[in-house]
């Protein structure tokens, strides 16, 4: 028995030794007679080795990014779809009264989507307008207390209408009122997420509005376009529909420019040279600018966003199920943020940190934000608060926002750390021992994660040829807004490329 054990150990040792040295054939045979071709083979220099390593690494990174994007697309395809429908005040009110035919179409559309196995959330506006209608007021209040009073009156009327119309199509609904401070606090955010999941699991459609009667000016979403983007991110929605009184995003103001045409597809929001100074309707608070900002938030969370006319409600089922195209489609990013990072991206910023191009490349490659990345700091913020990240363009133009971060230092200390090369200098500069980075990579979120732009080619389920404005796909190619930029080891995000369009 002892002999067998020793024999077994010797065999295992020999096998392990052979396996350990098998890759190094030169070492294994250094004392053996070698052929002239082997003995005279030149050894690569360190620089050549690094160059070869980079050649191998770059395609591997590209392949990995493509594989990750494909995996995300497959996961989205296999999971049960969720859509968020935001109905604006300009759509809900007509000539000062609730638009009853639209409410009926909305109820039928939502019920059809639910019966098709699609989860639906409705974000509604119109409470203030409905309150003014109930009280016979022709002008919208300008003070916060007056708006809150009208919203309290109008929400009762609005929910009664929703309940009547949805009950007529046998579709249960629920009222959900949220405020910005509910979603700014992480635990409340998670509680709200679980509530939505429980409602949707029971095929109940949440009717969401901001809790105007208790919200103060500093903790308000400001408009329901922004609210709908937050809800779409929280619910991990596939589509966000922003219904309004125009057909979509135009190359000019269609009311004053006869040559203005609709933009069917926006792959990268940064390529829009946006001029959206026009405000919303008399009773509303938004406009096209708020819809573009909402699209930025939703697409960064992996949610396609469609701006379209409310009279096209009946085609929503065709868009979600068959990939039909209407209005203006903002494509979701290929590798969206999730979990805590998605939540950080939606937190209102209290200040700005402008960084150099080197920082944008580093952050796109999942690095920390350091002092030598900082160009300037604006606004006042405390440690552990959220700030906007902007990059200073090389041509000296206006800084471009590309992300958000929760910082480790207050604004005055960030200003002092600007240009700091060594973390060991932090104590001498700020006067206390702190983290080695201005913001840790786990607290940094980019609008376009990993610098990968949205790409229509990744979404074969979307049929842009069905868009009413495109007679054929060549017309669509001329009208699409997109550019291509390096994904990982290049500039990171993208600036204003050749595909810029003036939009309204």
């Amino acid at each position: 028995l002892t002999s067998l054990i020793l024999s077994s150990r010797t065999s295992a040792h020999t096998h392990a030794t052979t396996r350990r040295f098998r890759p190094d054939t030169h070492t294994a045979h250094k004392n053996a007679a070698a052929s002239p071709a082997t003995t005279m083979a030149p050894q690569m220099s360190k620089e050549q080795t690094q160059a070869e390593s980079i050649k191998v690494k770059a395609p591997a990174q590209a392949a990995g990014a493509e594989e990750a994007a494909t995996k995300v697309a497959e996961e989205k395809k296999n999971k049960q779809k969720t859509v968020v429908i935001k109905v604006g005040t300009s759509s809900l009110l007509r000539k000062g009264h609730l638009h009853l035919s639209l409410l009926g179409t909305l109820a039928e559309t939502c019920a059809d989507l639910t019966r098709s196995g699609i989860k639906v959330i409705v974000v509604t506006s119109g409470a203030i307008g409905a309150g003014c209608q109930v009280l016979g007021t022709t002008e919208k209040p300008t003070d916060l207390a007056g708006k809150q009073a009208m919203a309290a009156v109008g929400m009762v009327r609005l929910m009664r209408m929703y309940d009547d119309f949805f009950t007529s199509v046998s579709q249960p609904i629920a009222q959900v009122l949220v405020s910005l401070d509910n979603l700014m606090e992480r635990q409340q955010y998670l509680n709200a997420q679980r509530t939505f999941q429980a409602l949707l699991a029971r095929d109940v459609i949440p009717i969401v509005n901001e809790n105007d009667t208790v919200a103060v000016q500093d903790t308000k979403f400001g408009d329901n376009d922004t609210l709908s983007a937050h809800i779409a991110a929280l619910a991990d929605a596939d589509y966000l529909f922003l219904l309004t009184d125009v057909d979509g995003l135009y190359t000019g103001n269609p009311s004053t420019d006869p040559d203005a045409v609709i933009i069917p597809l926006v792959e990268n929001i940064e390529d829009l040279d946006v001029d959206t100074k026009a405000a919303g309707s008399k009773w509303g608070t938004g406009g096209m600018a708020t819809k573009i900002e909402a699209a930025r938030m939703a697409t960064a969370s992996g949610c396609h966003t469609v701006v379209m006319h409310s009279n096209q409600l009946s085609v929503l089922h065709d868009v979600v199920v068959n990939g039909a195209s209407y209005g203006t489609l903002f494509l979701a990013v290929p590798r969206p943020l999730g979990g805590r990072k998605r939540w950080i991206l939606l937190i209102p910023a209290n200040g700005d940190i402008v960084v150099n191009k080197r920082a944008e490349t580093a952050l796109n490659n999942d690095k920390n934000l350091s002092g030598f990345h900082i160009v300037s700091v604006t606004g006042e913020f405390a440690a552990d608060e959220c700030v906007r990240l902007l990059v200073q363009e090389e041509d000296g133009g206006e800084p471009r926002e590309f992300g958000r971060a929760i910082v480790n230092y207050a604004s005055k200390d960030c200003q002092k750390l600007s240009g700091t090369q060594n973390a060991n200098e932090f104590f001498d500069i700020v006067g206390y021992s702190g983290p080695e980075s201005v913001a840790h990579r786990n607290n940094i979120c980019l609008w376009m994660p990993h610098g990968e732009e949205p790409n229509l080619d990744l979404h074969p389920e979307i049929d842009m040829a069905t868009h009413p404005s495109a007679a054929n796909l060549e017309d669509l190619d001329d009208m699409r807004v997109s550019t291509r930029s390096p994904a990982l080891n290049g500039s990171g995000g993208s600036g204003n490329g050749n595909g810029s369009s003036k939009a309204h």
Side-chain angles (χ1 to χ4, degrees), residues 164-195:
D164 287 345
F165 280 100
F166 278 81
T167 299
S168 67
V169 292
S170 304
Q171 176 58 56
I173 61 172
Q175 182 183 20
V176 180
L177 297 177
V178 298
S179 57
L180 183 58
D181 55 354
N182 295 143
L183 303 186
M184 286 174 60
E185 205 278 314
R186 177 65 175 164
Q187 190 56 51
Q188 291 190 55
Y189 176 91
L190 294 175
N191 288 342
Q193 189 176 58
R194 286 189 285 267
T195 300

PDB file of all heavy atoms in Angstrom, residues 164-195:
ATOM      1  N   ASP A 164     -63.178  56.039 -15.113  1.00  0.00           N
ATOM      2  CA  ASP A 164     -64.362  55.754 -15.937  1.00  0.00           C
ATOM      3  C   ASP A 164     -63.977  55.102 -17.260  1.00  0.00           C
ATOM      4  O   ASP A 164     -64.567  54.082 -17.661  1.00  0.00           O
ATOM      5  CB  ASP A 164     -65.149  57.042 -16.201  1.00  0.00           C
ATOM      6  CG  ASP A 164     -65.889  57.533 -14.965  1.00  0.00           C
ATOM      7  OD1 ASP A 164     -66.021  56.742 -14.008  1.00  0.00           O
ATOM      8  OD2 ASP A 164     -66.312  58.707 -14.941  1.00  0.00           O
ATOM      9  N   PHE A 165     -63.001  55.672 -17.945  1.00  0.00           N
ATOM     10  CA  PHE A 165     -62.632  55.159 -19.270  1.00  0.00           C
ATOM     11  C   PHE A 165     -61.941  53.792 -19.187  1.00  0.00           C
ATOM     12  O   PHE A 165     -62.226  52.903 -19.995  1.00  0.00           O
ATOM     13  CB  PHE A 165     -61.740  56.164 -20.001  1.00  0.00           C
ATOM     14  CG  PHE A 165     -62.490  57.288 -20.646  1.00  0.00           C
ATOM     15  CD1 PHE A 165     -62.565  58.533 -20.035  1.00  0.00           C
ATOM     16  CD2 PHE A 165     -63.154  57.106 -21.851  1.00  0.00           C
ATOM     17  CE1 PHE A 165     -63.267  59.577 -20.623  1.00  0.00           C
ATOM     18  CE2 PHE A 165     -63.861  58.135 -22.444  1.00  0.00           C
ATOM     19  CZ  PHE A 165     -63.920  59.377 -21.830  1.00  0.00           C
ATOM     20  N   PHE A 166     -61.056  53.604 -18.220  1.00  0.00           N
ATOM     21  CA  PHE A 166     -60.358  52.320 -18.119  1.00  0.00           C
ATOM     22  C   PHE A 166     -61.283  51.227 -17.590  1.00  0.00           C
ATOM     23  O   PHE A 166     -61.140  50.061 -17.967  1.00  0.00           O
ATOM     24  CB  PHE A 166     -59.113  52.461 -17.239  1.00  0.00           C
ATOM     25  CG  PHE A 166     -57.917  53.015 -17.960  1.00  0.00           C
ATOM     26  CD1 PHE A 166     -57.782  54.376 -18.175  1.00  0.00           C
ATOM     27  CD2 PHE A 166     -56.931  52.175 -18.451  1.00  0.00           C
ATOM     28  CE1 PHE A 166     -56.692  54.898 -18.842  1.00  0.00           C
ATOM     29  CE2 PHE A 166     -55.826  52.676 -19.124  1.00  0.00           C
ATOM     30  CZ  PHE A 166     -55.707  54.055 -19.330  1.00  0.00           C
ATOM     31  N   THR A 167     -62.229  51.592 -16.741  1.00  0.00           N
ATOM     32  CA  THR A 167     -63.205  50.609 -16.279  1.00  0.00           C
ATOM     33  C   THR A 167     -64.071  50.125 -17.431  1.00  0.00           C
ATOM     34  O   THR A 167     -64.458  48.947 -17.491  1.00  0.00           O
ATOM     35  CB  THR A 167     -64.087  51.216 -15.175  1.00  0.00           C
ATOM     36  OG1 THR A 167     -63.266  51.585 -14.066  1.00  0.00           O
ATOM     37  CG2 THR A 167     -65.135  50.210 -14.695  1.00  0.00           C
ATOM     38  N   SER A 168     -64.361  51.014 -18.389  1.00  0.00           N
ATOM     39  CA  SER A 168     -65.198  50.638 -19.531  1.00  0.00           C
ATOM     40  C   SER A 168     -64.539  49.596 -20.421  1.00  0.00           C
ATOM     41  O   SER A 168     -65.220  48.902 -21.183  1.00  0.00           O
ATOM     42  CB  SER A 168     -65.554  51.877 -20.357  1.00  0.00           C
ATOM     43  OG  SER A 168     -64.398  52.414 -20.983  1.00  0.00           O
ATOM     44  N   VAL A 169     -63.201  49.470 -20.343  1.00  0.00           N
ATOM     45  CA  VAL A 169     -62.496  48.434 -21.115  1.00  0.00           C
ATOM     46  C   VAL A 169     -61.959  47.338 -20.188  1.00  0.00           C
ATOM     47  O   VAL A 169     -61.045  46.578 -20.556  1.00  0.00           O
ATOM     48  CB  VAL A 169     -61.346  49.046 -21.959  1.00  0.00           C
ATOM     49  CG1 VAL A 169     -61.905  49.928 -23.061  1.00  0.00           C
ATOM     50  CG2 VAL A 169     -60.363  49.815 -21.086  1.00  0.00           C
ATOM     51  N   SER A 170     -62.502  47.283 -18.962  1.00  0.00           N
ATOM     52  CA  SER A 170     -62.158  46.239 -17.979  1.00  0.00           C
ATOM     53  C   SER A 170     -60.664  46.206 -17.653  1.00  0.00           C
ATOM     54  O   SER A 170     -60.056  45.135 -17.532  1.00  0.00           O
ATOM     55  CB  SER A 170     -62.607  44.860 -18.481  1.00  0.00           C
ATOM     56  OG  SER A 170     -63.978  44.854 -18.765  1.00  0.00           O
ATOM     57  N   GLN A 171     -60.062  47.389 -17.508  1.00  0.00           N
ATOM     58  CA  GLN A 171     -58.647  47.474 -17.193  1.00  0.00           C
ATOM     59  C   GLN A 171     -58.454  48.167 -15.844  1.00  0.00           C
ATOM     60  O   GLN A 171     -58.723  49.356 -15.694  1.00  0.00           O
ATOM     61  CB  GLN A 171     -57.898  48.249 -18.281  1.00  0.00           C
ATOM     62  CG  GLN A 171     -56.425  48.482 -17.985  1.00  0.00           C
ATOM     63  CD  GLN A 171     -55.658  47.196 -17.774  1.00  0.00           C
ATOM     64  OE1 GLN A 171     -55.650  46.318 -18.630  1.00  0.00           O
ATOM     65  NE2 GLN A 171     -55.025  47.056 -16.619  1.00  0.00           N
ATOM     66  N   PRO A 172     -57.982  47.446 -14.809  1.00  0.00           N
ATOM     67  CA  PRO A 172     -57.747  48.079 -13.505  1.00  0.00           C
ATOM     68  C   PRO A 172     -56.564  49.040 -13.543  1.00  0.00           C
ATOM     69  O   PRO A 172     -55.576  48.810 -14.253  1.00  0.00           O
ATOM     70  CB  PRO A 172     -57.453  46.895 -12.574  1.00  0.00           C
ATOM     71  CG  PRO A 172     -56.992  45.799 -13.472  1.00  0.00           C
ATOM     72  CD  PRO A 172     -57.688  45.995 -14.785  1.00  0.00           C
ATOM     73  N   ILE A 173     -56.692  50.134 -12.808  1.00  0.00           N
ATOM     74  CA  ILE A 173     -55.623  51.134 -12.739  1.00  0.00           C
ATOM     75  C   ILE A 173     -55.328  51.448 -11.283  1.00  0.00           C
ATOM     76  O   ILE A 173     -56.083  51.080 -10.377  1.00  0.00           O
ATOM     77  CB  ILE A 173     -55.996  52.429 -13.486  1.00  0.00           C
ATOM     78  CG1 ILE A 173     -57.244  53.076 -12.858  1.00  0.00           C
ATOM     79  CG2 ILE A 173     -56.203  52.167 -14.968  1.00  0.00           C
ATOM     80  CD1 ILE A 173     -57.568  54.453 -13.422  1.00  0.00           C
ATOM     81  N   ALA A 174     -54.211  52.155 -11.050  1.00  0.00           N
ATOM     82  CA  ALA A 174     -53.846  52.600  -9.704  1.00  0.00           C
ATOM     83  C   ALA A 174     -53.272  54.000  -9.808  1.00  0.00           C
ATOM     84  O   ALA A 174     -52.637  54.347 -10.813  1.00  0.00           O
ATOM     85  CB  ALA A 174     -52.814  51.657  -9.086  1.00  0.00           C
ATOM     86  N   GLN A 175     -53.490  54.795  -8.801  1.00  0.00           N
ATOM     87  CA  GLN A 175     -52.919  56.144  -8.768  1.00  0.00           C
ATOM     88  C   GLN A 175     -51.616  56.110  -7.981  1.00  0.00           C
ATOM     89  O   GLN A 175     -51.556  55.600  -6.856  1.00  0.00           O
ATOM     90  CB  GLN A 175     -53.887  57.137  -8.125  1.00  0.00           C
ATOM     91  CG  GLN A 175     -53.350  58.558  -8.103  1.00  0.00           C
ATOM     92  CD  GLN A 175     -54.291  59.531  -7.400  1.00  0.00           C
ATOM     93  OE1 GLN A 175     -55.147  59.117  -6.626  1.00  0.00           O
ATOM     94  NE2 GLN A 175     -54.152  60.814  -7.670  1.00  0.00           N
ATOM     95  N   VAL A 176     -50.549  56.675  -8.571  1.00  0.00           N
ATOM     96  CA  VAL A 176     -49.248  56.750  -7.909  1.00  0.00           C
ATOM     97  C   VAL A 176     -48.765  58.189  -7.983  1.00  0.00           C
ATOM     98  O   VAL A 176     -48.583  58.732  -9.075  1.00  0.00           O
ATOM     99  CB  VAL A 176     -48.209  55.819  -8.566  1.00  0.00           C
ATOM    100  CG1 VAL A 176     -46.867  55.936  -7.849  1.00  0.00           C
ATOM    101  CG2 VAL A 176     -48.692  54.378  -8.551  1.00  0.00           C
ATOM    102  N   LEU A 177     -48.593  58.826  -6.842  1.00  0.00           N
ATOM    103  CA  LEU A 177     -48.070  60.192  -6.772  1.00  0.00           C
ATOM    104  C   LEU A 177     -46.650  60.140  -6.216  1.00  0.00           C
ATOM    105  O   LEU A 177     -46.414  59.547  -5.160  1.00  0.00           O
ATOM    106  CB  LEU A 177     -48.954  61.056  -5.874  1.00  0.00           C
ATOM    107  CG  LEU A 177     -50.408  61.257  -6.333  1.00  0.00           C
ATOM    108  CD1 LEU A 177     -51.185  62.065  -5.301  1.00  0.00           C
ATOM    109  CD2 LEU A 177     -50.451  61.938  -7.688  1.00  0.00           C
ATOM    110  N   VAL A 178     -45.715  60.734  -6.920  1.00  0.00           N
ATOM    111  CA  VAL A 178     -44.315  60.732  -6.490  1.00  0.00           C
ATOM    112  C   VAL A 178     -43.780  62.151  -6.510  1.00  0.00           C
ATOM    113  O   VAL A 178     -44.313  63.031  -7.201  1.00  0.00           O
ATOM    114  CB  VAL A 178     -43.440  59.833  -7.389  1.00  0.00           C
ATOM    115  CG1 VAL A 178     -43.882  58.399  -7.321  1.00  0.00           C
ATOM    116  CG2 VAL A 178     -43.449  60.320  -8.828  1.00  0.00           C
ATOM    117  N   SER A 179     -42.736  62.386  -5.751  1.00  0.00           N
ATOM    118  CA  SER A 179     -42.015  63.656  -5.782  1.00  0.00           C
ATOM    119  C   SER A 179     -40.535  63.370  -5.945  1.00  0.00           C
ATOM    120  O   SER A 179     -40.074  62.246  -5.711  1.00  0.00           O
ATOM    121  CB  SER A 179     -42.281  64.469  -4.510  1.00  0.00           C
ATOM    122  OG  SER A 179     -41.921  63.720  -3.367  1.00  0.00           O
ATOM    123  N   LEU A 180     -39.798  64.369  -6.334  1.00  0.00           N
ATOM    124  CA  LEU A 180     -38.385  64.168  -6.645  1.00  0.00           C
ATOM    125  C   LEU A 180     -37.596  63.681  -5.439  1.00  0.00           C
ATOM    126  O   LEU A 180     -36.708  62.831  -5.568  1.00  0.00           O
ATOM    127  CB  LEU A 180     -37.784  65.469  -7.184  1.00  0.00           C
ATOM    128  CG  LEU A 180     -36.318  65.419  -7.626  1.00  0.00           C
ATOM    129  CD1 LEU A 180     -36.113  64.372  -8.703  1.00  0.00           C
ATOM    130  CD2 LEU A 180     -35.860  66.785  -8.130  1.00  0.00           C
ATOM    131  N   ASP A 181     -37.921  64.201  -4.249  1.00  0.00           N
ATOM    132  CA  ASP A 181     -37.163  63.770  -3.068  1.00  0.00           C
ATOM    133  C   ASP A 181     -37.414  62.302  -2.740  1.00  0.00           C
ATOM    134  O   ASP A 181     -36.593  61.656  -2.072  1.00  0.00           O
ATOM    135  CB  ASP A 181     -37.458  64.661  -1.852  1.00  0.00           C
ATOM    136  CG  ASP A 181     -38.933  64.748  -1.533  1.00  0.00           C
ATOM    137  OD1 ASP A 181     -39.738  64.210  -2.319  1.00  0.00           O
ATOM    138  OD2 ASP A 181     -39.283  65.360  -0.503  1.00  0.00           O
ATOM    139  N   ASN A 182     -38.551  61.741  -3.198  1.00  0.00           N
ATOM    140  CA  ASN A 182     -38.778  60.299  -3.029  1.00  0.00           C
ATOM    141  C   ASN A 182     -37.731  59.497  -3.789  1.00  0.00           C
ATOM    142  O   ASN A 182     -37.258  58.454  -3.307  1.00  0.00           O
ATOM    143  CB  ASN A 182     -40.156  59.894  -3.541  1.00  0.00           C
ATOM    144  CG  ASN A 182     -41.290  60.504  -2.739  1.00  0.00           C
ATOM    145  OD1 ASN A 182     -42.312  60.864  -3.288  1.00  0.00           O
ATOM    146  ND2 ASN A 182     -41.118  60.637  -1.426  1.00  0.00           N
ATOM    147  N   LEU A 183     -37.396  59.947  -4.990  1.00  0.00           N
ATOM    148  CA  LEU A 183     -36.467  59.194  -5.828  1.00  0.00           C
ATOM    149  C   LEU A 183     -35.016  59.563  -5.585  1.00  0.00           C
ATOM    150  O   LEU A 183     -34.113  58.811  -5.961  1.00  0.00           O
ATOM    151  CB  LEU A 183     -36.819  59.419  -7.303  1.00  0.00           C
ATOM    152  CG  LEU A 183     -38.254  59.043  -7.708  1.00  0.00           C
ATOM    153  CD1 LEU A 183     -38.432  59.164  -9.217  1.00  0.00           C
ATOM    154  CD2 LEU A 183     -38.601  57.630  -7.259  1.00  0.00           C
ATOM    155  N   MET A 184     -34.767  60.703  -4.955  1.00  0.00           N
ATOM    156  CA  MET A 184     -33.380  61.085  -4.645  1.00  0.00           C
ATOM    157  C   MET A 184     -32.814  60.234  -3.520  1.00  0.00           C
ATOM    158  O   MET A 184     -31.604  60.026  -3.453  1.00  0.00           O
ATOM    159  CB  MET A 184     -33.325  62.570  -4.259  1.00  0.00           C
ATOM    160  CG  MET A 184     -33.484  63.525  -5.439  1.00  0.00           C
ATOM    161  SD  MET A 184     -33.595  65.249  -4.907  1.00  0.00           S
ATOM    162  CE  MET A 184     -32.035  65.487  -4.062  1.00  0.00           C
ATOM    163  N   GLU A 185     -33.671  59.782  -2.615  1.00  0.00           N
ATOM    164  CA  GLU A 185     -33.222  58.933  -1.508  1.00  0.00           C
ATOM    165  C   GLU A 185     -33.253  57.477  -1.967  1.00  0.00           C
ATOM    166  O   GLU A 185     -34.276  56.975  -2.422  1.00  0.00           O
ATOM    167  CB  GLU A 185     -34.143  59.147  -0.315  1.00  0.00           C
ATOM    168  CG  GLU A 185     -33.499  58.836   1.029  1.00  0.00           C
ATOM    169  CD  GLU A 185     -33.518  57.351   1.338  1.00  0.00           C
ATOM    170  OE1 GLU A 185     -34.575  56.729   1.144  1.00  0.00           O
ATOM    171  OE2 GLU A 185     -32.475  56.820   1.750  1.00  0.00           O
ATOM    172  N   ARG A 186     -32.127  56.811  -1.865  1.00  0.00           N
ATOM    173  CA  ARG A 186     -31.957  55.485  -2.473  1.00  0.00           C
ATOM    174  C   ARG A 186     -32.984  54.470  -1.964  1.00  0.00           C
ATOM    175  O   ARG A 186     -33.559  53.709  -2.745  1.00  0.00           O
ATOM    176  CB  ARG A 186     -30.531  54.982  -2.199  1.00  0.00           C
ATOM    177  CG  ARG A 186     -30.221  53.586  -2.716  1.00  0.00           C
ATOM    178  CD  ARG A 186     -30.263  53.510  -4.221  1.00  0.00           C
ATOM    179  NE  ARG A 186     -29.854  52.190  -4.706  1.00  0.00           N
ATOM    180  CZ  ARG A 186     -30.078  51.751  -5.943  1.00  0.00           C
ATOM    181  NH1 ARG A 186     -30.673  52.525  -6.817  1.00  0.00           N
ATOM    182  NH2 ARG A 186     -29.686  50.555  -6.307  1.00  0.00           N
ATOM    183  N   GLN A 187     -33.235  54.441  -0.657  1.00  0.00           N
ATOM    184  CA  GLN A 187     -34.158  53.450  -0.107  1.00  0.00           C
ATOM    185  C   GLN A 187     -35.583  53.691  -0.596  1.00  0.00           C
ATOM    186  O   GLN A 187     -36.315  52.750  -0.928  1.00  0.00           O
ATOM    187  CB  GLN A 187     -34.112  53.475   1.423  1.00  0.00           C
ATOM    188  CG  GLN A 187     -34.848  52.309   2.078  1.00  0.00           C
ATOM    189  CD  GLN A 187     -34.341  50.950   1.614  1.00  0.00           C
ATOM    190  OE1 GLN A 187     -33.148  50.688   1.633  1.00  0.00           O
ATOM    191  NE2 GLN A 187     -35.247  50.086   1.172  1.00  0.00           N
ATOM    192  N   GLN A 188     -35.995  54.966  -0.657  1.00  0.00           N
ATOM    193  CA  GLN A 188     -37.332  55.274  -1.171  1.00  0.00           C
ATOM    194  C   GLN A 188     -37.437  54.912  -2.652  1.00  0.00           C
ATOM    195  O   GLN A 188     -38.493  54.461  -3.119  1.00  0.00           O
ATOM    196  CB  GLN A 188     -37.650  56.757  -0.977  1.00  0.00           C
ATOM    197  CG  GLN A 188     -37.842  57.167   0.477  1.00  0.00           C
ATOM    198  CD  GLN A 188     -38.379  58.584   0.595  1.00  0.00           C
ATOM    199  OE1 GLN A 188     -39.401  58.911   0.032  1.00  0.00           O
ATOM    200  NE2 GLN A 188     -37.654  59.425   1.336  1.00  0.00           N
ATOM    201  N   TYR A 189     -36.351  55.123  -3.382  1.00  0.00           N
ATOM    202  CA  TYR A 189     -36.310  54.751  -4.799  1.00  0.00           C
ATOM    203  C   TYR A 189     -36.565  53.257  -4.968  1.00  0.00           C
ATOM    204  O   TYR A 189     -37.376  52.834  -5.795  1.00  0.00           O
ATOM    205  CB  TYR A 189     -34.951  55.141  -5.373  1.00  0.00           C
ATOM    206  CG  TYR A 189     -34.704  54.743  -6.814  1.00  0.00           C
ATOM    207  CD1 TYR A 189     -35.017  55.602  -7.854  1.00  0.00           C
ATOM    208  CD2 TYR A 189     -34.133  53.513  -7.129  1.00  0.00           C
ATOM    209  CE1 TYR A 189     -34.778  55.258  -9.180  1.00  0.00           C
ATOM    210  CE2 TYR A 189     -33.895  53.144  -8.443  1.00  0.00           C
ATOM    211  CZ  TYR A 189     -34.212  54.025  -9.463  1.00  0.00           C
ATOM    212  OH  TYR A 189     -33.980  53.666 -10.768  1.00  0.00           O
ATOM    213  N   LEU A 190     -35.894  52.441  -4.152  1.00  0.00           N
ATOM    214  CA  LEU A 190     -36.068  50.990  -4.234  1.00  0.00           C
ATOM    215  C   LEU A 190     -37.472  50.568  -3.808  1.00  0.00           C
ATOM    216  O   LEU A 190     -38.054  49.646  -4.393  1.00  0.00           O
ATOM    217  CB  LEU A 190     -35.015  50.293  -3.366  1.00  0.00           C
ATOM    218  CG  LEU A 190     -33.556  50.455  -3.828  1.00  0.00           C
ATOM    219  CD1 LEU A 190     -32.600  49.824  -2.822  1.00  0.00           C
ATOM    220  CD2 LEU A 190     -33.344  49.841  -5.209  1.00  0.00           C
ATOM    221  N   ASN A 191     -38.023  51.245  -2.811  1.00  0.00           N
ATOM    222  CA  ASN A 191     -39.398  50.943  -2.389  1.00  0.00           C
ATOM    223  C   ASN A 191     -40.387  51.250  -3.515  1.00  0.00           C
ATOM    224  O   ASN A 191     -41.322  50.474  -3.769  1.00  0.00           O
ATOM    225  CB  ASN A 191     -39.766  51.748  -1.138  1.00  0.00           C
ATOM    226  CG  ASN A 191     -39.068  51.240   0.114  1.00  0.00           C
ATOM    227  OD1 ASN A 191     -38.576  50.109   0.137  1.00  0.00           O
ATOM    228  ND2 ASN A 191     -39.011  52.061   1.137  1.00  0.00           N
ATOM    229  N   ALA A 192     -40.194  52.394  -4.179  1.00  0.00           N
ATOM    230  CA  ALA A 192     -41.058  52.748  -5.305  1.00  0.00           C
ATOM    231  C   ALA A 192     -40.921  51.728  -6.428  1.00  0.00           C
ATOM    232  O   ALA A 192     -41.912  51.336  -7.059  1.00  0.00           O
ATOM    233  CB  ALA A 192     -40.703  54.149  -5.807  1.00  0.00           C
ATOM    234  N   GLN A 193     -39.703  51.274  -6.672  1.00  0.00           N
ATOM    235  CA  GLN A 193     -39.469  50.275  -7.720  1.00  0.00           C
ATOM    236  C   GLN A 193     -40.221  48.982  -7.421  1.00  0.00           C
ATOM    237  O   GLN A 193     -40.861  48.399  -8.322  1.00  0.00           O
ATOM    238  CB  GLN A 193     -37.967  50.004  -7.821  1.00  0.00           C
ATOM    239  CG  GLN A 193     -37.563  49.165  -9.008  1.00  0.00           C
ATOM    240  CD  GLN A 193     -36.047  49.032  -9.102  1.00  0.00           C
ATOM    241  OE1 GLN A 193     -35.399  48.558  -8.161  1.00  0.00           O
ATOM    242  NE2 GLN A 193     -35.480  49.462 -10.217  1.00  0.00           N
ATOM    243  N   ARG A 194     -40.198  48.544  -6.161  1.00  0.00           N
ATOM    244  CA  ARG A 194     -40.904  47.318  -5.787  1.00  0.00           C
ATOM    245  C   ARG A 194     -42.426  47.485  -5.897  1.00  0.00           C
ATOM    246  O   ARG A 194     -43.143  46.546  -6.259  1.00  0.00           O
ATOM    247  CB  ARG A 194     -40.503  46.899  -4.367  1.00  0.00           C
ATOM    248  CG  ARG A 194     -39.099  46.315  -4.277  1.00  0.00           C
ATOM    249  CD  ARG A 194     -38.835  45.707  -2.911  1.00  0.00           C
ATOM    250  NE  ARG A 194     -38.612  46.724  -1.917  1.00  0.00           N
ATOM    251  CZ  ARG A 194     -37.408  47.197  -1.571  1.00  0.00           C
ATOM    252  NH1 ARG A 194     -36.333  46.750  -2.202  1.00  0.00           N
ATOM    253  NH2 ARG A 194     -37.271  48.112  -0.624  1.00  0.00           N
ATOM    254  N   THR A 195     -42.909  48.697  -5.602  1.00  0.00           N
ATOM    255  CA  THR A 195     -44.353  48.954  -5.738  1.00  0.00           C
ATOM    256  C   THR A 195     -44.794  48.842  -7.189  1.00  0.00           C
ATOM    257  O   THR A 195     -45.823  48.222  -7.502  1.00  0.00           O
ATOM    258  CB  THR A 195     -44.694  50.352  -5.188  1.00  0.00           C
ATOM    259  OG1 THR A 195     -44.330  50.413  -3.805  1.00  0.00           O
ATOM    260  CG2 THR A 195     -46.181  50.642  -5.335  1.00  0.00           C
TER     261      THR A 195
END
